[in-house]
Amino acid sequence: MKINILAIESSCDETSASVISDGKILNNIVATQSVHEKYGGVVPELASRAHQQHLVPVIQEAIKTSGLDKKELSAVAFTRGPGLMGSLLVGVSFAKAFAYSLGIPMIEVNHMEAHILAHFIDHPAPLFPFICLTVSGGHTQLVLVKSHLEMEVIGETLDDAVGEAFDKTAKLMGLPYPGGPMIDKFALNGDPKAYSFPLSDMPDLNYSFSGIKTAVLYFLRDRLKENATFIDDNKNDICASVQYTLIKMLMQKLKKAAKIHRINEIAIAGGVSANLGLRAELEKLSSELGWKVYIPSFEYCTDNAAMIAMAAHFKFLNQEFCGLDISPLAKMKIGK
């Protein structure tokens, strides 16, 4: 009998559903919330309301395009955390009702672990053990992945995430939301060494990105005093220089982690892993250091239910189910 799982992702501002059958992703339906664009960032209350509007149609589409009947489902998986509490609550509540109505088990999934396990959707997949750099708007972590279900955080940001540094820079420059992809776009035609920004050097394998956010703020403020059109005149170079600095900070710790743990299987995951500059630098280091680098397709970098489904598949095989008394966790750590 096949293992068919419906997976739901609602941790932030993407409403997504996916069906997986015996480890093969059948679809990945995503509804993006455009309501946040005029605010320059995600508004939690609006996000949860949008999830309520999108969730049923998205799930209906996922089941329909899978070719399966809902009675053929073996389990329902959902993102328990980390994420926005209101958004998580919408997904968890629906999963409970849906699973109860069908009399099938539920599987809770850690959002960040799912980002890592997205590497097993397509082939080739990384070999264990490998190091995964998880980078997003809310997280920056170095994770030692020992198996599908055993992971250890060996380094992380002590303040802000790298994705937040990208988005904050974009907002300071007056670029539209979401800002990270806009920085990447303009950086393609800029000089990465046009301007210099400080590199933070935190102990061990940890990161800090609050300093560069402040440095960019003061840099733009001082230049605009001298020239009101400075940002418009130098947009490409500013974006390229900030991106160069952020990527260099990420790579310094990643290289250190690979050396300490003597691992050359390297992966990246999370929304920022869609960044072209980061991907190019990883490919470069792959040649220089002999790394085997694994980068998910763009579809599986940003928040999506296919990665939740893949994580749930491995948990199903291990019979890791949860009860109806489960509740969302805004803060949920890898390996916990």
Side-chain angles (χ1 to χ4, degrees):
M1 186 175 179
K2 288 189 174 182
I3 301 173
N4 302 317
I5 303 172
L6 168 68
I8 300 168
E9 156 60 17
S10 67
S11 64
C12 190
D13 62 338
E14 305 282 7
T15 310
S16 184
S18 175
V19 175
I20 186 171
S21 180
D22 280 350
K24 180 181 179 182
I25 297 295
L26 302 183
N27 51 35
N28 187 34
I29 313 301
V30 181
T32 300
Q33 301 178 2
S34 58
V35 66
H36 308 286
E37 292 177 2
K38 62 181 178 181
Y39 300 103
V42 177
V43 181
E45 178 60 28
L46 295 180
S48 60
R49 292 180 186 179
H51 282 304
Q52 291 177 323
Q53 295 173 336
H54 295 162
L55 193 58
V56 171
V58 163
I59 289 175
Q60 287 179 328
E61 182 68 13
I63 294 175
K64 179 182 177 181
T65 57
S66 73
L68 300 174
D69 186 276
K70 62 183 179 181
K71 294 181 180 179
E72 295 180 82
L73 293 173
S74 310
V76 177
F78 60 93
T79 303
R80 186 183 183 191
L84 301 176
M85 182 57 79
S87 295
L88 292 168
L89 189 60
V90 174
V92 174
S93 298
F94 186 95
K96 285 184 181 183
F98 197 73
Y100 181 75
S101 69
L102 294 174
I104 56 178
M106 296 170 57
I107 302 174
E108 61 165 309
V109 174
N110 182 307
H111 180 82
M112 298 311 295
E113 291 180 2
H115 268 304
I116 295 171
L117 293 175
H119 286 90
F120 295 89
I121 295 176
D122 296 324
H123 295 284
L127 301 176
F128 300 114
F130 66 90
I131 292 175
C132 187
L133 172 65
T134 59
V135 279
S136 68
H139 298 83
T140 304
Q141 299 174 322
L142 285 168
V143 183
L144 178 60
V145 187
K146 303 173 185 178
S147 72
H148 295 115
L149 299 177
E150 186 180 4
M151 306 178 191
E152 177 189 355
V153 177
I154 56 176
E156 60 187 333
T157 179
L158 300 180
D159 42 51
D160 303 324
V162 67
E164 185 180 345
F166 273 108
D167 289 339
K168 181 65 173 180
T169 297
K171 192 168 185 178
L172 290 171
M173 293 178 65
L175 300 179
Y177 173 85
M182 298 302 296
I183 295 289
D184 193 23
K185 175 184 175 181
F186 289 116
L188 289 172
N189 298 312
D191 178 1
K193 296 185 179 180
Y195 306 106
S196 178
F197 296 101
L199 293 166
S200 67
D201 186 19
M202 303 305 292
D204 304 318
L205 296 174
N206 295 318
Y207 293 101
S208 170
F209 296 99
S210 60
I212 187 171
K213 286 170 54 179
T214 303
V216 171
L217 171 66
Y218 290 152
F219 169 80
L220 294 177
R221 182 199 64 183
D222 294 343
R223 293 302 178 101
L224 287 172
K225 287 180 180 178
E226 302 170 359
N227 177 7
T229 63
F230 174 75
I231 293 177
D232 290 334
D233 296 343
N234 302 277
K235 188 176 298 180
N236 293 343
D237 287 346
I238 298 170
C239 290
S241 298
V242 173
Q243 178 161 290
Y244 170 82
T245 305
L246 292 173
I247 292 175
K248 188 171 183 179
M249 290 167 65
L250 290 173
M251 292 302 102
Q252 283 181 339
K253 298 294 185 176
L254 180 57
K255 287 189 287 186
K256 185 177 181 180
K259 185 176 181 180
I260 290 173
H261 292 275
R262 298 180 180 178
I263 290 176
N264 67 349
E265 296 274 322
I266 306 295
I268 58 169
V272 181
S273 63
N275 181 279
L276 295 176
L278 177 58
R279 287 171 171 244
E281 185 62 22
L282 272 172
E283 294 292 355
K284 177 184 174 184
L285 290 176
S286 172
S287 299
E288 294 178 358
L289 302 176
W291 287 354
K292 294 181 181 178
V293 172
Y294 302 87
I295 305 174
S297 62
F298 286 103
E299 179 183 5
Y300 304 127
C301 288
T302 53
D303 293 348
N304 67 91
M307 68 182 194
I308 305 300
M310 183 55 66
H313 171 74
F314 294 119
K315 298 192 78 169
F316 189 102
L317 293 177
N318 206 42
Q319 296 291 287
E320 294 188 18
F321 304 121
C322 62
L324 290 172
D325 59 342
I326 198 76
S327 59
L329 291 175
K331 295 182 179 180
M332 191 175 180
K333 295 183 179 181
I334 285 178
K336 302 295 183 182

